[in-house]
Amino acid sequence: MIRRTLLLVLIAGSMFAQVSFERILNAAKEPQNWLTYSGGVQSQRHTGLTQITPDNVKNLEQQWVFQARSLEKFEATPLVVDGVMYTVQAPNDIVALDAVSGRVYWVYAYIPSPAARPCCGMINRGLAILGDTLFMGTVDAHLIAVNAKSGRPIWDAKVANAESGYALTHAPLVVKDKVIVGTAGGEYGIRGFIAAYDVKTGKEAWRFYTIPGPGEPGNQTWAGDSWKTGGGSVWVTGSYDPELNLTYWGIGNPGPDWNGDSRPGDNLYSDSVVALDPDTGKLKWYYQFSPHDEFDYDSVQVPVLAEMQWKGSQRKVMMWANRNGMFYVIDRTSGEFLQGKPFAKVNWLTGFDEKGRPMRAPGKTPSTEGTLIYPGNQGATNWYSPSYSPRTGLFYIPTWENTSSIYFKSPVEYVEGRQYTGTFPRMTVSFRGNIQNQITEDEGYGAVHAMDPKTGERKWEFKMADVTESGILTTATDVLFVGGREGNFFALNARNGSMLWKAALGGIIANGTISYSVNGRQYIAVAAGNSLFTFALRQ
Amino acid sequence: MKVWTFALSAGVLLAQHSFTRADIEDGSRLYSNTCAACHGANGDRVSGVDLMHGRFRRAATDDGVAAIIQKGIPGTAMPPHALTDFQAGSIVAYLRSVAAEAGSVSGTGDVARGKAIFEGKGACQTCHSVRNSGSLVGPDLTDIGAIRRAPQLERSLLDPDGEILAQNRTYRVVTREGTVITGRLLNHDVFTIQLMDAQGPRSFQKANLKESGFVEKSPMPSYQGKLSAQELADLVSYLVSLKGIQTQ
């Protein structure tokens, strides 16, 4: 009782200190907070908190629930700063809550233009913070700065035209004095871009088109005017390496998605990772995962950065589990391809040439009669955050195993603001998720695949019945948290994949779990269905 | 409480719903964000249309007006709006509340002079913020001109105690250790209280408080007699000009 009173006293002061960029760079030094979408600029989604262990995780109990007043998928990862949690109620309401009680401090309600038309739901994946300012991209392609204390807007920058199919759905990334976002809309024949805005004024500082224009290197990888409507969307947050001063972003599919006839060539920088100078937006290097893609294999995954012994020397690597079914290790200084191994069933390639270019399996392209491709249109993984644990040295992938699609080729015509895709592939697994799961293991299943990046071999698999859209969190005590579409939330042993604890949350888990602590008590937060749940050890 | 506010404080009752003061404010914000570009702040910019005097050409009932808002008027520049029934209703409630409100401001003011008084002689920023500069103690006034009209603003300055909105009430807590904290009440339940003070939002466990309760008098001083009639008009004009942040 005495201890409890002491804690309560401390809770009374949720003191705000400004979140400097220095603090963001050193996020690992304050594991009580969750300062960026992926928990730090290296995007490992790994917490240094140690109160919850494999032994006591069974004592987790629910602390509070925030029920969003929204029927859209809850894809936002919250931020936690000194006892205050910030999340987004879809589409674009920022909610500030007391991270201990779950009580709402304020709501900043943004009403997007009715012209907003993101392909896959009026959703948002989260926020960025710098100083006392929160940043949010909106489904009608605005970037908004909001005072983190009062919840009042500071500036509103129109990034692109919602009418033409542009949207912002990912959490922005702050690098120094700029906030970086990229545009979604790959199904609408947009020309995607990544842009940086001055954190104070909202003025655009630079813009990098994900599809090079005439005269720029790479434009020749598009025929005729196809570059103008080539897609190349961006809808998941990038990473940053302060030593190299490079920011890394994954780029989405080329358009039209399922018929590449109008765009012969590699279609740079679709389905690539680009390394940009965050001060100027200049391209330093790129690596293209799926040249001339016709399977909707967006490379919109979180780039996970780590330092690693690689074949005898210390290297700055980037690990990447791609929607196309391959798990890559790339040298993030130069963009050199180091390794690519399948982490799920794949049939569209036979291997890589010495430069790391995939060698295509013959006949594996969309056709009028239909072609069966593994992985399917939703990919062997997708935007769901993976996790890397520097302790186990393993890379954990939210996986759709055994999924396939039959791809058909049909004519496509571009009309501004309309979908520009081709024929939607036939899939056995629902794209949105059904309330009853009736798929068989042969048609596909969800799993966590724990991969050894040094060999590309799988160490263990944890199977679910339905597929998963959940991100993964690992802890400094080797506990792994993950959920799935079936609404189960699991704690696993990160070393061997055995299940330690579970909770039935009853809704699709389509976001990344986080951990934070307030006054010495560690919490786990995850959204399922339309609600955000928090857990802590029973006291 | 002043008579003029009675109808508003009691909420506006439309056919199906009643709208609280906060709902009407939301309606007012929706109006300035989605309608004012065409209809103007006073609802009379489209010729032949006057939205703020309680009579509509094309609709006899409130539900009829809400339907026009949602569906638009085909063949005219009035577009459909993707608003829920409740949102459309809250705009109608706002339009009604403006129509119901009597009173006019004394004199016309100058926005630039008003701004100077706000930041200088009035010392309003010691308690209020406009566009991210100022204090969190009082309500943020960045879009006060979009949600209040001149007569209400003038009354706020002359008689701050006259009507204090639910979201602006001041609350005071004393912790077991004797620390006193006052701030605007944001939220509370059986166990906890959330306040906004100069530092930002804060949460307290009731079990840890010695005392807690509303502060009757507004911390805001009355400016009756402290500002000349002209200064007051200038200040009100400045407040009316604060319509929120603009998209850039």
Side-chain angles (χ1 to χ4, degrees), chain A residues 122-399:
Chain A
M122 299 281 268
I123 56 89
N124 177 281
R125 303 198 176 84
L127 306 163
I129 191 165
L130 183 73
D132 278 338
T133 308
L134 295 164
F135 303 95
M136 170 178 65
T138 68
V139 291
D140 60 351
H142 287 232
L143 178 63
I144 314 280
V146 170
N147 184 307
K149 290 180 178 175
S150 66
R152 303 310 300 267
I154 301 170
W155 50 257
D156 169 352
K158 182 173 165 181
V159 172
N161 234 343
E163 285 77 3
S164 313
Y166 289 90
L168 300 184
T169 58
H170 68 83
L173 179 74
V174 167
V175 177
K176 301 179 210 176
D177 58 351
K178 295 185 179 67
V179 51
I180 305 177
V181 288
T183 59
E187 273 61 58
Y188 292 90
I190 62 160
R191 183 183 176 210
F193 61 87
I194 298 170
Y197 295 81
D198 183 282
V199 289
K200 286 269 178 292
T201 63
K203 294 259 172 330
E204 184 176 311
W206 53 255
R207 181 179 287 212
F208 169 79
Y209 280 99
T210 59
I211 302 183
E216 291 173 313
N219 182 257
Q220 75 286 358
T221 65
W222 298 85
D225 278 347
S226 63
W227 60 274
K228 287 185 181 164
T229 52
S233 55
V234 177
W235 42 279
V236 165
T237 310
S239 306
Y240 175 63
D241 182 324
E243 282 171 27
L244 299 172
N245 193 33
L246 287 176
T247 181
Y248 306 98
W249 291 79
I251 313 297
N253 61 280
D257 302 35
W258 302 299
N259 182 346
D261 289 354
S262 61
R263 47 175 174 85
D266 281 356
N267 309 138
L268 291 173
Y269 300 100
S270 70
D271 293 355
S272 305
V273 50
V274 295
L276 306 179
D277 179 329
D279 303 319
T280 63
K282 292 272 176 307
L283 180 73
K284 176 85 185 294
W285 59 256
Y286 72 90
Y287 171 76
Q288 191 175 35
F289 299 98
S290 305
H292 192 71
D293 169 30
E294 294 178 299
F295 307 134
D296 197 9
Y297 287 160
D298 294 73
S299 292
V300 177
Q301 289 82 39
V302 175
V304 180
L305 316 185
E307 322 303 316
M308 186 175 293
Q309 275 295 116
W310 186 266
K311 307 206 159 68
S313 63
Q314 188 73 9
R315 264 187 127 138
K316 281 174 158 295
V317 305
M318 168 188 294
M319 286 168 279
W320 199 295
N322 198 282
R323 186 161 166 175
N324 70 13
M326 305 299 289
F327 170 45
Y328 299 81
V329 182
I330 291 168
D331 181 310
R332 71 172 185 273
T333 310
S334 61
E336 184 192 341
F337 167 91
L338 299 177
Q339 177 177 284
K341 291 278 177 74
F343 65 91
K345 184 166 175 183
V346 171
N347 76 351
W348 64 274
L349 83 173
T350 56
F352 294 92
D353 70 13
E354 69 288 350
K355 285 210 159 133
R357 186 187 172 86
M359 296 185 290
R360 294 293 297 266
K364 300 290 188 224
T365 56
S367 57
T368 23
E369 61 290 356
T371 311
L372 177 70
I373 303 290
Y374 286 86
N377 192 69
Q378 292 312 106
T381 190
N382 202 308
W383 61 274
Y384 334 125
S385 294
S387 175
Y388 173 70
S389 166
R391 289 171 47 88
T392 63
L394 298 179
F395 186 77
Y396 303 93
I397 310 171
T399 306

Side-chain angles (χ1 to χ4, degrees), chain B residues 5-28 30 62-63 66 69 84-97:
Chain B
T5 55
F6 183 75
L8 300 180
S9 315
V12 169
L13 193 64
L14 295 188
Q16 311 294 330
H17 313 282
S18 71
F19 291 87
T20 64
R21 185 72 202 231
D23 297 333
I24 294 170
E25 269 166 37
D26 287 343
S28 163
L30 279 170
D62 291 334
D63 283 352
I69 295 173
T84 62
D85 291 349
F86 191 80
Q87 286 172 324
S90 72
I91 297 179
V92 179
Y94 164 68
L95 298 176
R96 291 286 185 211
S97 77

Side-chain angles (χ1 to χ4, degrees), chain A residues 480-534:
Chain A
L480 180 153
F481 290 93
V482 69
R485 258 196 192 170
E486 56 200 43
N488 286 317
F489 182 52
F490 307 98
L492 310 181
N493 183 321
R495 297 210 171 258
N496 58 27
S498 64
M499 188 172 75
L500 302 170
W501 172 83
K502 67 181 181 349
L505 302 184
I508 294 179
I509 298 176
N511 65 106
T513 305
I514 67 156
S515 191
Y516 62 92
S517 89
V518 185
N519 299 314
R521 191 164 189 218
Q522 183 181 358
Y523 296 79
I524 300 290
V526 64
N530 313 100
S531 302
L532 181 84
F533 297 81
T534 58

Side-chain angles (χ1 to χ4, degrees), chain A residues 72-135:
Chain A
E72 298 287 341
K73 267 186 193 167
F74 204 141
E75 297 195 358
T77 290
L79 300 179
V80 177
V81 184
D82 304 332
V84 181
M85 178 184 285
Y86 301 98
T87 190
V88 180
Q89 164 175 282
N92 290 126
D93 296 338
I94 304 180
V95 184
L97 319 107
D98 171 25
V100 171
S101 65
R103 298 295 297 173
V104 171
Y105 286 129
W106 49 255
V107 177
Y108 164 69
Y110 178 85
I111 298 174
S113 148
R117 60 195 71 177
C119 69
C120 313
M122 299 281 268
I123 56 89
N124 177 281
R125 303 198 176 84
L127 306 163
I129 191 165
L130 183 73
D132 278 338
T133 308
L134 295 164
F135 303 95

Side-chain angles (χ1 to χ4, degrees), chain B residues 146-165:
Chain B
I147 56 172
R148 307 264 180 271
R149 292 163 56 82
Q152 292 168 281
L153 290 168
E154 192 179 86
R155 270 174 230 122
S156 290
L157 297 175
L158 298 179
D159 181 14
D161 289 321
E163 185 202 28
I164 298 179
L165 304 177

